[in-house]
Each structure stands twice: as C-alpha cells, then as structure tokens.
Amino acid sequence: PGSLIDTSRRMYTRVICLAALCAYASAFSPSPSIPSLRSARHASISPSLAVSPLVAGRAMRASPALSLRMDAAFGKTQVAEAPEEATGTVIFLHGLGDTGSGWTKMRDTISVPHVKFLCPTAPTREVSVCDGMSMPAWFDIDGLSPSELRSDSDGIQRSVDHVLKIVDEEIASGTPSDRIVIAGFSQGGNIALAAAMQAKVPLGGAIGLSTWFPRGIADKPDPVNRKMPIFIGHGENDPIAKAEWGSKTFEYLTGIGMPTEGNIYPEMGHEFKPAQVTDLKVFINRVLGTQETVTLSKPLGMTLEEGGEDEGTVVVSGVKEGGSAAQSGAIQVGDQVLSVNGKVVKGQGFDAAMDAIIAAEGDVEVRLNRPPADRTVAWTTLSQEEQDRRLNTSGGIIKVCTDRACMNQGSKATVRWLTELTPETFSVTRCSCTGSCGKGPNVVVSGRDKEEKVVYETNSVGQAVKMLMEEFELSVDPKKVQNLINPEKNVEFGMSDELVRQGLMQTVDVRSSFAGNRF
C-alpha cells in the first residue's frame, strides 16, 4: 500500500507540473521555445492527463539536471522601450517554462509611458519535478513542497546574481537605482523577491505575482531597502503556488517592517489576468512616478515631513509663497524626495533627508518622485486645498457613491471602469450617499466651469461610456471598452481556450472581482 501511495503522489506531482507549464506560458503571446498549447484559466485537471506509473516514477529519481545547475547559460534579455523618455525601469522575470519575449507586452498593458521593461530569459535546463524535461527555469525544482522548492540554492543564487548584474548595468546606463523595480511571476517572482532583498543599492520596489518567499535564501533586506515598497498578488484558486503562500509572504514581509500591499484575486488560478493590471499600474505609477530634478538656493522655502503610503518616504508638505521652491515652479505638495545633491535618501526617513540638505554647501539639487494623485480615494478625506486643486486642474471630477446600497449594486466595478476609461488628468474618487441608488451606483460629475450633477444608475460599462461622452465629450478607446466587457477574450492577454477545447482542462466562470480580498 505504501508504494501505491507513493506512486500516486508521483503521478499527481507530474500531472500538476504539466498543467502548471501550460499555465506558466506567457499570458501575452506565444513563445517559440515552448508548446503553444496553454490556457490562462486554471481549473480541475482532466483524467486525460494521467501518466503511467513507470513514467511518473522517473520524476523522483536523481536527475541529470544536477550537473547543469551551474552550467546553463542565461537567455537574451528582451527590451520594451518606454514610449516617452524613460526615467524608470521594471525588470520582469517570467515563470517556469516560459521566456522573456512574451512578457514585453507588459509595457503596453500596464501603460506607464516613462517606464521601460527589461524581460530576461532563464537558462534552459532539465527540471527534476518534470521528469527531467528541458525548459527555461531560473532554478531546478525537486518537488512542490516548500523545502523542495528551495533545494537548488546554488541555482537560485546564480539567477539572483544575474538579475543584480542587470540592475548594475541599468544603473551604469544612467537609471538611478531607486527608479528600478524588480518583478516576477511564479518562479520568477521568487527570484525577484530574493534579488530585491539582497540588493545593496536602494531600489524603487519589488513585485511578486503567484509566488512564494525565498526563505533561507534572503530572509531580510539590506538596510538600504528596509522600507522598500513591495506588491504581492495571488490567485485565490491557485493549485500550484497556494494562496496561503502569498498570504504568508505578505505576513512575513509586514512582520519585518516592510511596506507591503497586495491582493488575493477571487476565481483566479496560477495565471496573470486583467484584474491585476489596475493594481500593478497604480503601484508602478506611485513608486516610479514622474521624476523632477530641481536646483534650489537656500533657504529652500518648502516644508518636509515623513509620510505617504510608503514608510520612510519624505514628502513635500508645503511650499512657501515667494520662496526658492515656489519660484522654481517645479515643486508640488506631495512630491517625494529621492536624493539630495546626488545622495539617495529615498526610504531613509526624515532625518536622513534633512542631514543631506543641511550638509549641502551652496545650491541644493533635489531629485523628486511625483506619483499621480490617488484617483480612487474618498473625496471627503481630501484636504480643502487638494479638493480645490483638483477642481481647478483636473480634466473632470467623478465621484462614485460607495454607500452600502451602491456597494451592493457594483460601485467597486464602476470605480474600476471609470478609472480605466478616463485619462490620468481626471479625478475618480469615492463619495457618500447621493440619494437612492436604484438599480446601480450613482455618479457625481463636476469640474472646472462645470456645475455638479448626479448621474443615476451607472451600472454597466456601456452606461459609463455614455456618461463620459455626454458629460465630458470624452472619446473612449474601443479596445479598453472591449477589455472591460469581456477581458477573457482580449487578445492582448492571449487567453486561449485551446486546452479547454482539447479537453485537457475544464473551464470556470469568471466574475468581476477587482479590489476584493485585499491583504
């Protein structure tokens, strides 16, 4: 009986691995080095994937991959240049069995115009858990238990070193280290977190999607990154990297004092889906916002304070009329101080920033990060100054009622639709009761030279588009509308039904679930 149980477990491991490889494949476009059969959906596995005990048994034997762990060469790093002048870089690492080429689409999907994407490719090696099959892999995997996932410590460290070398090259090309984010999916997410924790230079942030924390490889960050912002995203129904792993990663990072945020996405497996795009765009826009470099004479004429969403961040809290900062016309309240006279102070706290300013002789060169205004905060939480600024400068003001009745009618989805459909110049916020919500959440529209008006029952993408056209004469990109109406069919995400058609996987219903189950 014991041998039968072991054989069943080995069969299950191999079946899961094969299914995982299909799901790991790039969520954007086919990769020439992997099978084209894949699905961005994850559900139960069909019995048609069963394998013989003889084949399954070989997966547990010593693999020739051991001899390749230190010898395989890394593939080419794909570059997706920024549409505008690049002032920030995201290094994105693919998952097991994939390559970097497909993930360059992230640039267009996330759509932060001043950020370029570098997508390295892992070495091709034999993977033990997959019966020694050769595929791109950042490190070997002996099994799916936590200890087996980190058994190839040499391979993990070699990939981490490769990523940190890319960071060094990017810095040498002129990108400040604090304008670099290391990100990754699944196995690539594990390497991304390990590299970010081991980095000896202050980074802009780190992103781990459908992954697990590299315990024993990089348990704590270097002191320069102790307040590095991190985003963790995970599918609730992930059958490979369990959702529990994402939750534990989040809990561990917050437990050691790192500013961590994230989301568990309902009805999502081991995959990358449209629901994550808004979250990632907000995060990247915040940590790699518009960069400004200003030279000021003393006294600077501005006040600073430690605050904001990212701990250790020093922000401009006031600009004195007639002072050097005001006369420059380049500094705004909310700007984050990145460096002073070339000394990086990002994430180091108020005292570090002030010490650098006081030590400066003569003029002071201040490099600033300007994140976009939070477009989905509650309007009443904004200061009167910020409300007035938005009314006078925004392309339009849109407030969505999020009282309980409207929440039940889908106000979260309405906020997401309007945020996606409107330009960055628009302010989309939440507000309290505006009257009976009826069949959908109410929306309040206003803006510069526009009288405030309530638009009732905006409960569909079509009604949101109609409202924007009528109230603001705003044309909407049809592709964005199609993506919101039926994201599973958006070719930008390459979400193929091939595996479903061939009976290898069974489909699941996909529901709108943005912003549910936040960590």
Side-chain angles (χ1 to χ4, degrees), residues 318-369:
V319 177
K320 296 181 180 179
E321 186 176 352
S324 178
Q327 291 176 2
S328 73
I331 294 181
Q332 297 180 6
V333 172
D335 287 350
Q336 302 170 348
V337 181
L338 299 177
S339 68
V340 177
N341 280 0
K343 179 179 175 59
V344 176
V345 296
K346 179 185 185 301
Q348 305 305 305
F350 179 81
D351 290 343
M354 290 305 300
D355 288 346
I357 292 172
I358 293 170
E361 298 181 2
D363 291 345
V364 180
E365 182 185 83
V366 182
R367 186 164 55 85
L368 303 161
N369 178 55

Short mmCIF file of all heavy atoms in Angstrom, two decimals, residues 318-369:
data_model
loop_
_atom_site.label_atom_id
_atom_site.label_comp_id
_atom_site.label_asym_id
_atom_site.label_seq_id
_atom_site.Cartn_x
_atom_site.Cartn_y
_atom_site.Cartn_z
N GLY A 318 4.55 71.41 2.14
CA GLY A 318 4.16 72.79 1.95
C GLY A 318 5.20 73.55 1.14
O GLY A 318 6.39 73.23 1.19
N VAL A 319 4.74 74.52 0.38
CA VAL A 319 5.63 75.38 -0.41
C VAL A 319 5.33 76.83 -0.03
O VAL A 319 4.19 77.29 -0.15
CB VAL A 319 5.41 75.17 -1.92
CG1 VAL A 319 6.30 76.13 -2.72
CG2 VAL A 319 5.70 73.73 -2.31
N LYS A 320 6.35 77.54 0.48
CA LYS A 320 6.16 78.91 0.96
C LYS A 320 6.14 79.90 -0.19
O LYS A 320 7.01 79.87 -1.07
CB LYS A 320 7.26 79.27 1.95
CG LYS A 320 7.25 78.43 3.21
CD LYS A 320 8.36 78.83 4.17
CE LYS A 320 8.34 77.97 5.43
NZ LYS A 320 9.43 78.32 6.37
N GLU A 321 5.14 80.77 -0.17
CA GLU A 321 4.99 81.77 -1.23
C GLU A 321 6.22 82.67 -1.27
O GLU A 321 6.69 83.16 -0.25
CB GLU A 321 3.73 82.60 -0.97
CG GLU A 321 3.41 83.57 -2.08
CD GLU A 321 2.10 84.30 -1.85
OE1 GLU A 321 1.39 83.94 -0.88
OE2 GLU A 321 1.81 85.24 -2.61
N GLY A 322 6.76 82.84 -2.47
CA GLY A 322 7.92 83.70 -2.64
C GLY A 322 9.24 83.03 -2.38
O GLY A 322 10.30 83.60 -2.63
N GLY A 323 9.23 81.80 -1.88
CA GLY A 323 10.46 81.09 -1.58
C GLY A 323 11.09 80.49 -2.82
O GLY A 323 10.53 80.51 -3.92
N SER A 324 12.28 79.92 -2.64
CA SER A 324 13.02 79.35 -3.76
C SER A 324 12.23 78.23 -4.44
O SER A 324 12.20 78.14 -5.67
CB SER A 324 14.37 78.81 -3.27
OG SER A 324 15.08 78.20 -4.32
N ALA A 325 11.59 77.36 -3.65
CA ALA A 325 10.82 76.26 -4.22
C ALA A 325 9.65 76.77 -5.05
O ALA A 325 9.38 76.27 -6.15
CB ALA A 325 10.31 75.34 -3.11
N ALA A 326 8.94 77.78 -4.52
CA ALA A 326 7.80 78.34 -5.25
C ALA A 326 8.25 79.02 -6.53
O ALA A 326 7.60 78.90 -7.58
CB ALA A 326 7.04 79.32 -4.36
N GLN A 327 9.37 79.73 -6.47
CA GLN A 327 9.86 80.44 -7.65
C GLN A 327 10.31 79.48 -8.75
O GLN A 327 10.25 79.82 -9.94
CB GLN A 327 11.02 81.35 -7.25
CG GLN A 327 10.60 82.54 -6.39
CD GLN A 327 11.78 83.38 -5.93
OE1 GLN A 327 12.93 83.10 -6.28
NE2 GLN A 327 11.50 84.40 -5.13
N SER A 328 10.73 78.29 -8.37
CA SER A 328 11.14 77.31 -9.39
C SER A 328 9.97 76.85 -10.24
O SER A 328 10.13 76.47 -11.39
CB SER A 328 11.81 76.11 -8.73
OG SER A 328 10.83 75.28 -8.07
N GLY A 329 8.77 76.88 -9.65
CA GLY A 329 7.58 76.43 -10.35
C GLY A 329 7.57 74.95 -10.66
O GLY A 329 6.74 74.47 -11.43
N ALA A 330 8.50 74.20 -10.05
CA ALA A 330 8.64 72.78 -10.38
C ALA A 330 8.35 71.85 -9.22
O ALA A 330 8.48 70.64 -9.35
CB ALA A 330 10.05 72.52 -10.90
N ILE A 331 7.97 72.40 -8.08
CA ILE A 331 7.76 71.58 -6.90
C ILE A 331 6.31 71.68 -6.45
O ILE A 331 5.74 72.77 -6.38
CB ILE A 331 8.70 72.00 -5.75
CG1 ILE A 331 10.16 71.69 -6.16
CG2 ILE A 331 8.37 71.27 -4.46
CD1 ILE A 331 11.18 72.04 -5.11
N GLN A 332 5.72 70.53 -6.15
CA GLN A 332 4.33 70.48 -5.70
C GLN A 332 4.24 69.77 -4.36
O GLN A 332 5.08 68.93 -4.03
CB GLN A 332 3.46 69.74 -6.73
CG GLN A 332 3.37 70.39 -8.08
CD GLN A 332 2.49 69.59 -9.03
OE1 GLN A 332 1.86 68.61 -8.64
NE2 GLN A 332 2.46 70.01 -10.29
N VAL A 333 3.20 70.10 -3.62
CA VAL A 333 2.91 69.37 -2.39
C VAL A 333 2.63 67.91 -2.75
O VAL A 333 1.90 67.62 -3.69
CB VAL A 333 1.70 69.99 -1.66
CG1 VAL A 333 1.28 69.10 -0.49
CG2 VAL A 333 2.04 71.39 -1.17
N GLY A 334 3.24 67.00 -2.01
CA GLY A 334 3.09 65.57 -2.28
C GLY A 334 4.27 64.96 -3.01
O GLY A 334 4.39 63.73 -3.08
N ASP A 335 5.17 65.81 -3.56
CA ASP A 335 6.38 65.28 -4.20
C ASP A 335 7.22 64.53 -3.16
O ASP A 335 7.35 64.97 -2.02
CB ASP A 335 7.21 66.41 -4.81
CG ASP A 335 6.59 66.98 -6.07
OD1 ASP A 335 5.63 66.38 -6.58
OD2 ASP A 335 7.06 68.04 -6.54
N GLN A 336 7.82 63.42 -3.58
CA GLN A 336 8.65 62.61 -2.69
C GLN A 336 10.13 62.89 -2.98
O GLN A 336 10.55 62.93 -4.13
CB GLN A 336 8.37 61.12 -2.91
CG GLN A 336 6.92 60.73 -2.67
CD GLN A 336 6.62 59.31 -3.11
OE1 GLN A 336 7.44 58.68 -3.80
NE2 GLN A 336 5.46 58.80 -2.74
N VAL A 337 10.92 63.09 -1.92
CA VAL A 337 12.35 63.38 -2.06
C VAL A 337 13.11 62.07 -2.27
O VAL A 337 13.08 61.19 -1.41
CB VAL A 337 12.89 64.12 -0.82
CG1 VAL A 337 14.38 64.43 -1.00
CG2 VAL A 337 12.10 65.41 -0.58
N LEU A 338 13.78 61.97 -3.42
CA LEU A 338 14.56 60.78 -3.73
C LEU A 338 16.03 60.95 -3.37
O LEU A 338 16.66 60.04 -2.82
CB LEU A 338 14.44 60.45 -5.22
CG LEU A 338 13.05 60.13 -5.76
CD1 LEU A 338 13.11 59.89 -7.26
CD2 LEU A 338 12.46 58.92 -5.05
N SER A 339 16.61 62.09 -3.73
CA SER A 339 18.02 62.32 -3.45
C SER A 339 18.28 63.81 -3.26
O SER A 339 17.53 64.66 -3.76
CB SER A 339 18.90 61.77 -4.58
OG SER A 339 18.73 62.52 -5.78
N VAL A 340 19.35 64.11 -2.54
CA VAL A 340 19.79 65.48 -2.31
C VAL A 340 21.26 65.57 -2.70
O VAL A 340 22.10 64.85 -2.14
CB VAL A 340 19.61 65.89 -0.83
CG1 VAL A 340 20.14 67.29 -0.59
CG2 VAL A 340 18.15 65.79 -0.42
N ASN A 341 21.55 66.41 -3.70
CA ASN A 341 22.92 66.54 -4.22
C ASN A 341 23.54 65.17 -4.53
O ASN A 341 24.69 64.90 -4.20
CB ASN A 341 23.80 67.31 -3.23
CG ASN A 341 23.57 68.82 -3.34
OD1 ASN A 341 22.77 69.27 -4.14
ND2 ASN A 341 24.27 69.59 -2.54
N GLY A 342 22.74 64.31 -5.14
CA GLY A 342 23.23 63.01 -5.56
C GLY A 342 23.20 61.93 -4.49
O GLY A 342 23.38 60.75 -4.80
N LYS A 343 22.95 62.29 -3.24
CA LYS A 343 22.87 61.30 -2.16
C LYS A 343 21.45 60.78 -2.07
O LYS A 343 20.51 61.54 -1.82
CB LYS A 343 23.29 61.92 -0.83
CG LYS A 343 23.20 60.95 0.36
CD LYS A 343 23.66 61.61 1.64
CE LYS A 343 23.45 60.71 2.85
NZ LYS A 343 24.18 59.44 2.72
N VAL A 344 21.28 59.47 -2.28
CA VAL A 344 19.94 58.87 -2.25
C VAL A 344 19.43 58.83 -0.81
O VAL A 344 20.09 58.29 0.08
CB VAL A 344 19.96 57.46 -2.84
CG1 VAL A 344 18.58 56.81 -2.72
CG2 VAL A 344 20.38 57.50 -4.31
N VAL A 345 18.26 59.42 -0.58
CA VAL A 345 17.64 59.42 0.74
C VAL A 345 16.28 58.74 0.72
O VAL A 345 15.58 58.70 1.74
CB VAL A 345 17.51 60.86 1.29
CG1 VAL A 345 18.88 61.48 1.48
CG2 VAL A 345 16.65 61.72 0.36
N LYS A 346 15.89 58.20 -0.44
CA LYS A 346 14.60 57.53 -0.56
C LYS A 346 14.49 56.40 0.45
O LYS A 346 15.37 55.55 0.57
CB LYS A 346 14.42 56.96 -1.96
CG LYS A 346 13.11 56.22 -2.17
CD LYS A 346 13.06 55.59 -3.54
CE LYS A 346 11.72 54.95 -3.82
NZ LYS A 346 11.36 53.90 -2.87
N GLY A 347 13.40 56.42 1.23
CA GLY A 347 13.15 55.34 2.18
C GLY A 347 13.99 55.40 3.43
O GLY A 347 13.89 54.53 4.29
N GLN A 348 14.83 56.45 3.57
CA GLN A 348 15.74 56.53 4.73
C GLN A 348 15.18 57.39 5.86
O GLN A 348 15.80 57.52 6.91
CB GLN A 348 17.10 57.07 4.28
CG GLN A 348 17.73 56.28 3.15
CD GLN A 348 17.88 54.80 3.46
OE1 GLN A 348 18.47 54.42 4.47
NE2 GLN A 348 17.31 53.95 2.61
N GLY A 349 14.03 58.03 5.61
CA GLY A 349 13.39 58.81 6.67
C GLY A 349 13.75 60.28 6.68
O GLY A 349 14.62 60.75 5.94
N PHE A 350 13.04 61.03 7.54
CA PHE A 350 13.14 62.49 7.59
C PHE A 350 14.55 62.95 7.96
O PHE A 350 15.10 63.87 7.35
CB PHE A 350 12.12 63.02 8.60
CG PHE A 350 12.15 64.51 8.77
CD1 PHE A 350 11.49 65.33 7.86
CD2 PHE A 350 12.83 65.09 9.83
CE1 PHE A 350 11.51 66.71 8.01
CE2 PHE A 350 12.85 66.46 9.99
CZ PHE A 350 12.19 67.28 9.08
N ASP A 351 15.15 62.34 8.98
CA ASP A 351 16.46 62.79 9.46
C ASP A 351 17.52 62.68 8.37
O ASP A 351 18.37 63.58 8.23
CB ASP A 351 16.88 61.97 10.69
CG ASP A 351 16.05 62.28 11.92
OD1 ASP A 351 15.38 63.33 11.91
OD2 ASP A 351 16.07 61.48 12.87
N ALA A 352 17.50 61.60 7.59
CA ALA A 352 18.49 61.42 6.53
C ALA A 352 18.35 62.51 5.48
O ALA A 352 19.36 63.05 4.99
CB ALA A 352 18.34 60.04 5.89
N ALA A 353 17.11 62.86 5.12
CA ALA A 353 16.89 63.91 4.12
C ALA A 353 17.36 65.27 4.65
O ALA A 353 18.03 66.03 3.94
CB ALA A 353 15.41 63.97 3.74
N MET A 354 17.02 65.59 5.89
CA MET A 354 17.41 66.87 6.46
C MET A 354 18.92 66.97 6.64
O MET A 354 19.52 68.03 6.40
CB MET A 354 16.70 67.09 7.79
CG MET A 354 15.21 67.33 7.66
SD MET A 354 14.80 68.72 6.55
CE MET A 354 15.63 70.09 7.37
N ASP A 355 19.56 65.90 7.05
CA ASP A 355 21.02 65.91 7.20
C ASP A 355 21.70 66.21 5.87
O ASP A 355 22.69 66.97 5.82
CB ASP A 355 21.51 64.56 7.73
CG ASP A 355 21.16 64.33 9.19
OD1 ASP A 355 20.76 65.31 9.86
OD2 ASP A 355 21.24 63.17 9.66
N ALA A 356 21.18 65.63 4.78
CA ALA A 356 21.77 65.87 3.46
C ALA A 356 21.57 67.31 3.02
O ALA A 356 22.46 67.92 2.42
CB ALA A 356 21.15 64.91 2.44
N ILE A 357 20.40 67.88 3.34
CA ILE A 357 20.13 69.28 2.97
C ILE A 357 21.03 70.22 3.77
O ILE A 357 21.63 71.16 3.22
CB ILE A 357 18.65 69.61 3.19
CG1 ILE A 357 17.78 68.84 2.19
CG2 ILE A 357 18.40 71.11 3.07
CD1 ILE A 357 16.29 68.95 2.43
N ILE A 358 21.14 69.98 5.06
CA ILE A 358 21.97 70.84 5.92
C ILE A 358 23.43 70.77 5.52
O ILE A 358 24.16 71.79 5.52
CB ILE A 358 21.79 70.43 7.40
CG1 ILE A 358 20.35 70.74 7.86
CG2 ILE A 358 22.79 71.15 8.30
CD1 ILE A 358 20.00 70.17 9.21
N ALA A 359 23.89 69.57 5.14
CA ALA A 359 25.30 69.39 4.78
C ALA A 359 25.65 70.01 3.43
O ALA A 359 26.83 70.23 3.13
CB ALA A 359 25.64 67.90 4.76
N ALA A 360 24.64 70.30 2.62
CA ALA A 360 24.88 70.84 1.28
C ALA A 360 25.44 72.26 1.37
O ALA A 360 24.92 73.10 2.10
CB ALA A 360 23.59 70.83 0.46
N GLU A 361 26.47 72.52 0.62
CA GLU A 361 27.05 73.86 0.54
C GLU A 361 26.60 74.52 -0.75
O GLU A 361 26.72 73.96 -1.82
CB GLU A 361 28.59 73.78 0.60
CG GLU A 361 29.12 73.19 1.90
CD GLU A 361 30.64 73.15 1.93
OE1 GLU A 361 31.25 73.62 0.94
OE2 GLU A 361 31.19 72.66 2.92
N GLY A 362 26.10 75.73 -0.63
CA GLY A 362 25.60 76.43 -1.81
C GLY A 362 24.24 75.91 -2.23
O GLY A 362 23.41 75.54 -1.39
N ASP A 363 24.00 75.86 -3.55
CA ASP A 363 22.71 75.41 -4.06
C ASP A 363 22.48 73.93 -3.75
O ASP A 363 23.42 73.15 -3.56
CB ASP A 363 22.62 75.62 -5.56
CG ASP A 363 22.55 77.09 -5.93
OD1 ASP A 363 22.28 77.90 -5.02
OD2 ASP A 363 22.79 77.43 -7.11
N VAL A 364 21.21 73.55 -3.70
CA VAL A 364 20.83 72.18 -3.37
C VAL A 364 20.07 71.58 -4.56
O VAL A 364 19.05 72.12 -4.99
CB VAL A 364 19.93 72.13 -2.11
CG1 VAL A 364 19.54 70.69 -1.80
CG2 VAL A 364 20.64 72.77 -0.93
N GLU A 365 20.59 70.47 -5.08
CA GLU A 365 19.90 69.77 -6.16
C GLU A 365 19.03 68.67 -5.54
O GLU A 365 19.54 67.78 -4.88
CB GLU A 365 20.89 69.16 -7.14
CG GLU A 365 20.20 68.46 -8.32
CD GLU A 365 21.17 67.75 -9.23
OE1 GLU A 365 21.55 66.60 -8.92
OE2 GLU A 365 21.56 68.34 -10.26
N VAL A 366 17.73 68.78 -5.76
CA VAL A 366 16.79 67.83 -5.19
C VAL A 366 16.13 67.05 -6.33
O VAL A 366 15.58 67.63 -7.26
CB VAL A 366 15.70 68.55 -4.36
CG1 VAL A 366 14.75 67.53 -3.73
CG2 VAL A 366 16.33 69.42 -3.29
N ARG A 367 16.22 65.73 -6.24
CA ARG A 367 15.54 64.87 -7.22
C ARG A 367 14.27 64.34 -6.57
O ARG A 367 14.31 63.81 -5.46
CB ARG A 367 16.45 63.73 -7.67
CG ARG A 367 15.87 62.88 -8.80
CD ARG A 367 16.95 62.02 -9.47
NE ARG A 367 17.65 61.21 -8.50
CZ ARG A 367 17.23 60.01 -8.09
NH1 ARG A 367 16.09 59.50 -8.56
NH2 ARG A 367 17.93 59.32 -7.22
N LEU A 368 13.16 64.49 -7.29
CA LEU A 368 11.84 64.21 -6.72
C LEU A 368 11.09 63.16 -7.53
O LEU A 368 11.26 63.05 -8.74
CB LEU A 368 11.00 65.49 -6.67
CG LEU A 368 11.61 66.68 -5.90
CD1 LEU A 368 10.92 67.97 -6.31
CD2 LEU A 368 11.48 66.45 -4.40
N ASN A 369 10.24 62.41 -6.84
CA ASN A 369 9.31 61.49 -7.48
C ASN A 369 7.91 62.06 -7.29
O ASN A 369 7.50 62.38 -6.17
CB ASN A 369 9.38 60.10 -6.84
CG ASN A 369 8.38 59.13 -7.44
OD1 ASN A 369 8.36 58.91 -8.65
ND2 ASN A 369 7.55 58.53 -6.60
#
